[in-house]
Amino acid sequence: MVIIGYNNRMTEILGELVQDIFRLCRNKCKKIAVCESITGGLVVSALIGEDGASKCVEEGFITYSNDAKQNRLKVESQTLSKFGAVSAETAAQMCEGIWRDGFVTVSTTGNAGPTAMDGKPVGRVYVGVCCGTTSVYEFNFEGDRNQIRTQAATAALEILKTVLERV
């Protein structure tokens, strides 16, 4: 698997993580849907870069703009105006907007920099996950733009695995 910005050891670790996710999906008869903002496709790219993806991954959305979040994922305009795109509330509505029975959905939103945005510091990331109920995780990553995006994608995959282990 080749992912831009990852070294060979990171690629190997992510490959093992994705294979664990796929094993859990098959064992629990679940499909995965991904909606990404900050990670811009890194999560779904890691997933579809591994053998077995077609049996486990249903779809992926990159919804970078607020309009895309509203139109594609059903994020409410009031949520965006009150809390902003980089918020737990937006992450929750993103993954809920594409969830359906038999699915686990994961969302990523955050600020990769280079400057603070709407009062949110560089490195603030929210990962949402929905499997009937929704949970949102907040992170404060450090590094440059690509390092923050990579950490966010890795966190999303780790959360996805943890949720699949519990369902």
Side-chain angles (χ1 to χ4, degrees), residues 76-141:
E76 297 172 3
S77 61
Q78 301 91 322
T79 300
L80 292 166
S81 62
K82 184 174 182 179
F83 302 104
V86 179
S87 68
E89 294 80 4
T90 296
Q93 287 186 7
M94 286 172 69
C95 62
E96 290 168 352
I98 61 170
W99 183 83
R100 54 193 181 273
D101 195 36
F103 277 68
V104 177
T105 59
V106 64
S107 65
T108 63
T109 188
N111 181 6
T115 59
M117 176 177 82
D118 297 329
K120 306 298 186 337
V122 173
R124 174 72 49 84
V125 171
Y126 295 93
V127 176
V129 64
C130 184
C131 188
T133 59
T134 303
S135 298
V136 177
Y137 302 82
E138 179 183 280
F139 298 92
N140 291 293
F141 295 122

